[in-house]
């Protein structure tokens, strides 16, 4: 599944770059071939927050690998903590994806309707989780060119006690774009 998504991302990148060469698209409309620059916090450490869909999907994967009814590979060491994939590497997400996608459909159906179902995954979303986690992996690794063994991400549902959703994130990002030129002009 990851390979199929990665191939589609690459095909889209190539198609868009051909449109740029033909002057029917602008370069900033295309997925870049250059790795995404990861923002750094005040401590100069990478600080890249993933919210909303990223959190729901990775939280489901963490919940599933901690479920005692799931047969894990002998070589797999389950991550610890209440939210095991809160700060994952891409490689760790790949391991989790292999488990999510190899779980028998009948077991996933049982998990979706049982009393201990995942809090962010209604029954209608369970069939999508395998694709979604592979899409996330392909987007981060192939689409954005991020390294697979570094802990760059903080997958969150709240910051400083406040719930965060993509709309708030987009608003804050928009504010930061306007604030930066004003601050540098004042200095």
């Amino acid at each position: 599944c990851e390979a199929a998504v990665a191939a589609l991302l690459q095909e889209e990148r190539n198609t868009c770059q051909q449109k740029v060469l033909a002057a029917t698209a602008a370069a900033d409309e295309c997925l870049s071939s250059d790795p995404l620059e990861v923002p750094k916090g005040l401590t100069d450490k990478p600080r890249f927050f993933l919210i909303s869909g990223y959190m729901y999907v990775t939280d489901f994967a963490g919940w599933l690998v901690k479920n005692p009814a799931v047969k894990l590979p002998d070589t797999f060491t389950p991550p610890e903590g209440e939210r095991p994939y809160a700060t994952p590497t891409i490689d760790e997400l790949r391991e989790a994806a292999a488990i999510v996608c190899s779980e028998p459909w009948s077991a996933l159906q049982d998990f979706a309707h049982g009393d201990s179902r995942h809090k962010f995954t209604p029954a209608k979303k369970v069939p999508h989780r395998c694709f979604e986690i592979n899409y996330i992996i392909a987007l981060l690794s192939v689409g954005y060119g991020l390294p697979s063994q570094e802990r760059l991400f903080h997958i969150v549902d709240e910051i400083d006690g406040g719930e965060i959703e993509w709309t708030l994130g987009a608003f804050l990002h928009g504010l930061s774009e306007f604030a930066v030129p004003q601050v540098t002009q004042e200095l």
Side-chain angles (χ1 to χ4, degrees):
C1 193
E2 177 190 348
V5 174
L8 286 173
L9 286 170
Q10 189 58 47
E11 181 181 327
E12 175 58 27
R13 179 182 283 140
N14 294 341
T15 301
C16 192
Q17 288 171 352
Q18 291 299 318
K19 289 179 180 179
V20 169
L21 291 174
T24 59
D28 63 354
E29 295 175 18
C30 298
L31 188 59
S32 175
S33 298
D34 299 327
L36 180 71
E37 186 176 331
V38 178
K40 299 192 179 201
L42 296 175
T43 61
D44 205 33
K45 292 182 181 173
R47 303 257 315 158
F48 194 80
F49 289 94
L50 301 176
I51 61 172
S52 197
Y54 292 96
M55 198 279 298
Y56 302 136
V57 173
T58 57
D59 196 77
F60 176 81
W63 170 84
L64 189 70
V65 301
K66 290 173 63 176
N67 189 315
V70 174
K71 172 76 172 120
L72 300 173
D74 293 336
T75 58
F76 180 75
T77 303
E80 296 183 16
E82 183 179 328
R83 292 197 43 242
Y85 294 113
T87 57
T89 65
I90 294 172
D91 284 345
E92 289 169 341
L93 292 178
R94 274 193 184 103
E95 284 184 316
I99 294 165
V100 169
C101 297
S102 66
E103 192 62 22
W105 177 243
S106 59
L108 288 174
Q109 288 269 22
D110 291 344
F111 295 150
H113 297 288
D115 291 336
S116 62
R117 69 180 182 263
H118 183 249
K119 63 183 174 181
F120 299 125
T121 306
K124 68 181 183 180
K125 289 298 290 178
V126 171
H128 304 241
R129 292 301 190 219
C130 173
F131 171 79
E132 291 167 339
I133 194 166
N134 280 286
Y135 178 80
I136 288 169
I137 294 163
L139 184 64
L140 295 174
S141 61
V142 175
Y144 296 150
L146 298 171
S148 65
Q149 297 178 340
E150 291 184 42
R151 289 194 192 286
L152 303 173
F153 320 111
H154 300 272
I155 301 175
V156 298
D157 61 343
E158 61 180 46
I159 296 176
D160 292 333
E163 186 175 317
I164 184 111
E165 287 287 334
W166 75 266
T167 51
L168 178 58
F171 173 74
L172 293 173
H173 176 72
L175 280 181
S176 70
E177 285 187 349
F178 292 112
V180 172
Q182 291 172 356
V183 170
T184 54
Q185 288 175 346
E186 292 175 11
L187 294 176

